[in-house]
Amino acid sequence: MWRPSQLCHFYSVLRHSRLKLQPSPATVLRRNLRAPPARWSWRPQPLWRKVLSATAVGVPLLLAVRYVTAEPQEKRRMRLVADGAGRFCRSLRVGLKISLDYWWCTNVLLRGVEENSPGYLEVMSACHQRAADALVAGAISNGGLYVKLGQGLCSFNHLLPPEYIRTLRVLEDRALTRGFQEVDELFLEDFQAPPHKLFQEFDYQPIAAASLAQVHRARLHDGTAVAVKVQYIDLRDRFDGDIHTLELLLRLVEFMHPSFGFSWVLQDLKGTLAQELDFENEGRNAERCARDLKQFHYIVVPRVHWDTSSKRVLTAEFCEGCKVNDVEAIKSMGLAMKDIAEKLIQAFAEQIFYTGFIHSDPHPGNGRRSPGGRVWMWAGVSQCAVSLVLVRKGPDGKAQLVLLDHGLYQFLDQKDRSALCQLWRAIILRDDAAMKANAAALGVQDYFLFSEVLMQRPVRLGRLWRSHLLSREEAAYMQAMAREHFEDIMAVLKALPRPMLLVLRNVNTVRAINTALGTPVDRYFLMAKSAVRGWSRLAGEAQPSVHRTSLRRHARVVWETLKFEVALRLETLSMRLTALLVRVLAHLGLMPSTEELYEYLET
C-alpha cells in the first residue's frame, strides 16, 4: 500500500519529468500586460506609418458610409469614378500593347527585311490583326465613346489595313442594352414621371441599340406611333473622363511614335462629340435639315415631338425601312441602286456645297429585322453613335431616303464653301492653277496631296469621271500614299478649317455607301455638277440686290453648269482623239509600241 509520503514523492518526480503545464489565460494576460516579450516590444512607430495605416482603414470606411447614405445620382457618380479607373487601366494596357507590338515588329523582327517582301507583309499582317483584335476587345469592354470611335474608323476602308476594317466592323453591330430600371430612373430624373405615364404604350424591349443610346417603340396618347431614343444614363457623367483618357493615350502613342499625331484631332472634335449627348440639339438639327432639303421630295426627316423630349430623351416619328447598304432588301422592294445612289449624293452635295449645314456622320448602322420579312425596323431616330440612312419605297414607287441621327453636324462658312466648290470643279477639269488657288484659300499649300485626300482616289492616275470604282492599282496607290506621306497628310489636315474635317468624313462615308451599292453612278462627276451649281448660287446671292431675282439666279446656275459640262466633254473628246491618234501611229509603226505607252493610254 502506498503511503502519503510515497505518493507525494511520486507526484513530484512525475511533475518534474513532464513538460511544464500551460499557464492559465488570466496568467498569460497579466504577464503580457506587465512585461511584453522582447519580440512584441512596443517601440514607437514613425508618423508616416501611422498616417498610412489610418488612411488605409479610414478612407474605405468613410467611402462606404458615404455611398450608403448618398442619393441615387450620387451613388451612380461614385460608381463611375471606380469604373473610370478600370477603363483607364484597360485603355493604357491596350495602347502600350499595340505600340510595343509595332515597335518590336518594325525594329526587331523586320530589321533589314525588304518592305514589300512576302515575309514582311506576313509579319505586318499578323501585327495589324493583333492590334485590331486588341482595339475591338478594349472598345467593347469600355463601351460608350470607345465603341463610337471604333465605328468611325470603319469608314476609312481605303486607307486602313484590311485587317482593321474586317475586325472593326464587329463594332457596327455591337451594342449593349440597358435594363428597364435604368430607363425608369432616367425618365424620373428628366420628366419626374415613368414612361407609362407619358405614353399610352411603351415597349421596354429596345428595337435598336448603339454605343450611346437605345431606341424603344412607343405610342403617344393620341395613338401616334413614335420612337423614343433613350441615352444611357451614365454617359454624360463619364464623357469628360473618357476624353481625358483618350487624350493621354494619344499623347503616349505620339511619344513612342512621333509621326502618329492624332491628339489634335480629338482636341478639336471633343466639343463636337459632346453635341451628340444633347438630344435637344439633335432635334433642332433635324428640323433645320428638313428645311434645308425641303426641295428634295424624296428626303424624309422624322418629325420631333418636343413635349416628350429632353437632353437625354428624343421622341420622333417612327419610320420603317432598310439600311442603305442592304442590297438584298433594296432589290426585294423593287428599287434601283442607281436611283438611290444619285439621290444620296445629291442630298449630301447640297449640304456640302450650298447650305453649309453638313450631316457629318451619314453611314449605315445596326438594326433589327422584322419578324415578317427582310425589312429592317428602325426608329425615327437612330442610335447616337451610329448614324443612319434608311431606304423605303415612296408613293411614286421610287426610293425615299430617311435621314436619321442628326446629333453631329458641322457648319462650313460661305467663303470656305465657295473655295471648296471651285476646288472640286478644278480637280475634275484638271486645272492645276485653280486647284492651287482654291486649296490655298482653304489654308493648304500642298494642293495636289489635299486633292487626293478630298477625292479619296488618285487624281492623276486615272480619269475621275471615266471609272466608278477604285481599281486595284488605284487602291494600292492610295494605301501606299497613306503610308509614305503620313506626316504630309497630317500637315494638310491640321491646316484645314476645322469644319472641313467632318466634311471629309461626310465625303468618305458617302463614297463607302456608293461602293456598297455597287457604284452604280459616277460620284465624282455628280458632286462636281453640284459644286458648280452651289458656287453659282452662292455667287448670285453675293451680288447686289438687282441680281437677286430667282429668275436671274436660275439662269446663272444653268449657264455655269452648261459651261462646266461643255468643257468637260470637250476635254474628254480631246483625250480620246489623242489616244486614238497615238494608237494609230503605233499600229503603223510610226511610234514605238512600249508598255509605258499603253499605260499612258489607259490613264
Side-chain angles (χ1 to χ4, degrees):
M1 181 176 290
W2 292 92
R3 296 178 182 177
S5 61
Q6 290 176 329
L7 287 173
C8 290
H9 177 72
F10 174 78
Y11 177 74
S12 177
V13 172
L14 180 64
R15 182 182 177 187
H16 285 87
S17 64
R18 291 183 174 180
L19 294 174
K20 285 188 176 181
L21 297 176
Q22 294 295 327
S24 66
T27 305
V28 172
L29 180 61
R30 284 195 299 269
R31 289 177 181 175
N32 288 337
L33 291 176
R34 285 199 306 267
R39 58 179 180 177
W40 299 103
S41 60
W42 294 94
R43 289 178 298 180
Q45 295 183 352
L47 179 60
W48 65 268
R49 183 174 294 180
K50 294 181 179 180
V51 173
L52 183 62
S53 300
T55 302
V57 175
V59 171
L61 184 61
L62 290 175
L63 289 176
V65 173
R66 174 59 179 162
Y67 182 81
V68 171
T69 58
E71 296 293 328
Q73 293 186 27
E74 185 65 22
K75 287 183 179 180
R76 186 172 69 244
R77 294 191 183 95
M78 295 176 71
R79 289 195 301 269
L80 284 175
V81 172
D83 293 341
R87 291 195 301 274
F88 173 80
C89 293
R90 282 192 296 269
S91 303
L92 183 62
R93 185 181 70 250
V94 170
L96 289 174
K97 179 182 178 181
I98 294 175
S99 296
L100 292 174
D101 195 5
Y102 273 106
W103 181 90
W104 179 260
C105 289
T106 55
N107 293 280
V108 178
L109 296 181
L110 297 176
R111 189 171 186 177
V113 179
E114 186 179 351
E115 184 171 346
N116 292 320
S117 64
Y120 181 92
L121 296 177
E122 182 180 357
V123 171
M124 288 307 299
S125 176
C127 185
H128 292 327
Q129 188 61 57
R130 290 192 298 270
D133 290 338
L135 283 176
V136 169
I140 292 174
S141 298
N142 288 340
L145 184 62
Y146 295 87
V147 173
K148 179 174 181 58
L149 294 177
Q151 291 167 343
L153 291 176
C154 295
S155 299
F156 297 95
N157 55 357
H158 62 305
L159 294 178
L160 290 176
E163 294 83 2
Y164 278 88
I165 302 305
R166 288 195 303 266
T167 308
L168 289 172
R169 283 211 172 102
V170 174
L171 298 177
E172 290 186 349
D173 293 318
R174 184 75 183 198
L176 301 177
T177 59
R178 306 292 181 93
F180 70 92
Q181 292 180 342
E182 180 176 307
V183 174
D184 281 345
E185 184 180 350
L186 188 145
F187 269 82
L188 288 172
E189 291 179 7
D190 284 17
F191 300 101
Q192 292 75 52
H196 65 268
K197 295 291 186 182
L198 298 176
F199 302 96
Q200 184 184 91
E201 299 175 7
F202 186 88
D203 187 359
Y204 280 96
Q205 181 65 33
I207 59 173
S211 56
L212 304 184
Q214 62 189 30
V215 182
H216 300 262
R217 189 164 189 170
R219 192 173 297 277
L220 299 177
H221 289 291
D222 62 2
T224 303
V226 294
V228 185
K229 183 164 76 168
V230 182
Q231 189 177 118
Y232 299 140
I233 196 168
D234 56 353
L235 285 183
R236 295 175 70 88
D237 295 326
R238 61 179 278 188
F239 181 80
D240 290 337
D242 287 347
I243 286 290
H244 292 323
T245 297
L246 290 169
E247 287 177 339
L248 178 61
L249 291 176
L250 287 174
R251 290 194 180 99
L252 177 63
V253 173
E254 285 182 12
F255 176 76
M256 300 182 67
H257 307 278
S259 63
F260 187 89
F262 276 114
S263 61
W264 62 273
V265 177
L266 184 63
Q267 183 68 28
D268 288 330
L269 294 184
K270 65 181 181 181
T272 306
L273 292 172
Q275 295 178 14
E276 291 199 76
L277 298 180
D278 185 353
F279 287 176
E280 291 179 348
N281 178 71
E282 180 176 340
R284 292 190 293 268
N285 288 344
E287 292 181 338
R288 178 170 177 178
C289 175
R291 291 194 302 270
D292 287 349
L293 301 180
K294 63 183 179 181
Q295 70 272 25
F296 298 115
H297 63 278
Y298 53 83
I299 295 295
V300 177
V301 179
R303 185 170 64 90
V304 177
H305 296 270
W306 288 106
D307 54 339
T308 52
S309 297
S310 68
K311 288 188 176 296
R312 296 186 294 178
V313 177
L314 184 60
T315 304
E317 173 190 1
F318 188 91
C319 295
E320 295 183 7
C322 70
K323 294 196 299 183
V324 71
N325 62 350
D326 191 343
V327 176
E328 184 181 352
I330 291 173
K331 289 181 178 179
S332 69
M333 289 188 286
L335 301 177
M337 302 295 173
K338 182 178 180 181
D339 181 53
I340 294 171
E342 285 181 350
K343 289 175 176 178
L344 178 74
I345 292 171
Q346 288 172 0
F348 287 108
E350 176 78 3
Q351 291 183 327
I352 293 173
F353 298 122
Y354 181 63
T355 69
F357 191 63
I358 302 167
H359 195 309
S360 301
D361 201 14
H363 66 276
N366 54 334
R368 177 168 297 181
R369 291 182 183 271
S370 65
R374 294 176 178 173
V375 178
W376 289 70
M377 304 293 290
W378 271 99
V381 285
S382 73
Q383 316 90 312
C384 187
V386 184
S387 299
L388 238 332
V389 180
L390 298 186
V391 178
R392 70 183 188 184
K393 182 179 287 189
D396 58 355
K398 295 184 179 180
Q400 283 186 337
L401 302 182
V402 184
L403 303 186
L404 308 175
D405 191 357
H406 301 270
L408 188 58
Y409 270 76
Q410 191 62 266
F411 184 76
L412 193 65
D413 64 36
Q414 183 171 340
K415 177 178 69 68
D416 292 334
R417 267 179 281 150
S418 179
L420 183 62
C421 289
Q422 296 179 74
L423 175 62
W424 199 286
R425 176 180 181 275
I427 293 172
I428 295 294
L429 295 178
R430 299 178 67 182
D431 185 344
D432 283 11
M435 288 166 61
K436 184 176 182 179
N438 290 291
L442 291 171
V444 178
Q445 299 304 317
D446 192 343
Y447 72 94
F448 186 76
L449 181 60
F450 174 54
S451 298
E452 294 197 329
V453 171
L454 178 64
M455 304 300 288
Q456 297 169 4
R457 68 174 302 150
V459 171
R460 292 275 173 77
L461 195 60
R463 304 293 291 174
L464 292 173
W465 56 87
R466 287 179 57 190
S467 68
H468 301 165
L469 282 169
L470 277 172
S471 66
R472 291 182 180 179
E473 183 183 7
E474 290 171 329
Y477 171 85
M478 291 300 290
Q479 292 182 352
M481 183 196 72
R483 289 194 305 267
E484 297 171 7
H485 301 281
F486 190 83
E487 294 184 7
D488 296 333
I489 293 175
M490 288 297 100
V492 167
L493 295 178
K494 287 183 180 180
L496 287 172
R498 291 300 170 254
M500 277 296 299
L501 294 176
L502 291 179
V503 171
L504 292 176
R505 175 174 172 78
N506 180 292
V507 170
N508 187 48
T509 49
V510 170
R511 177 201 60 80
I513 292 174
N514 190 43
T515 302
L517 294 175
T519 318
V521 297
D522 191 332
R523 177 177 68 91
Y524 312 98
F525 184 52
L526 286 178
M527 293 196 74
K529 291 176 67 175
S530 296
V532 171
R533 287 195 299 269
W535 175 73
S536 301
R537 291 155 70 187
L538 291 172
E541 291 173 358
Q543 297 297 324
S545 58
V546 67
H547 297 293
R548 291 191 178 183
T549 63
S550 59
L551 181 62
R552 184 149 189 160
R553 185 180 306 164
H554 178 70
R556 181 183 179 88
V557 171
V558 172
W559 173 244
E560 291 296 337
T561 303
L562 179 62
K563 285 199 304 182
F564 168 72
E565 295 209 30
V566 169
L568 181 60
R569 301 307 174 188
L570 287 176
E571 185 180 358
T572 302
L573 178 62
S574 174
M575 292 295 295
R576 288 179 177 175
L577 289 175
T578 302
L580 178 61
L581 178 61
V582 171
R583 290 178 187 276
V584 170
L585 293 176
H587 181 72
L588 296 176
L590 300 177
M591 179 177 289
S593 179
T594 62
E595 185 177 350
E596 289 78 10
L597 174 62
Y598 283 102
E599 287 181 358
Y600 168 75
L601 293 176
E602 288 298 324
T603 59

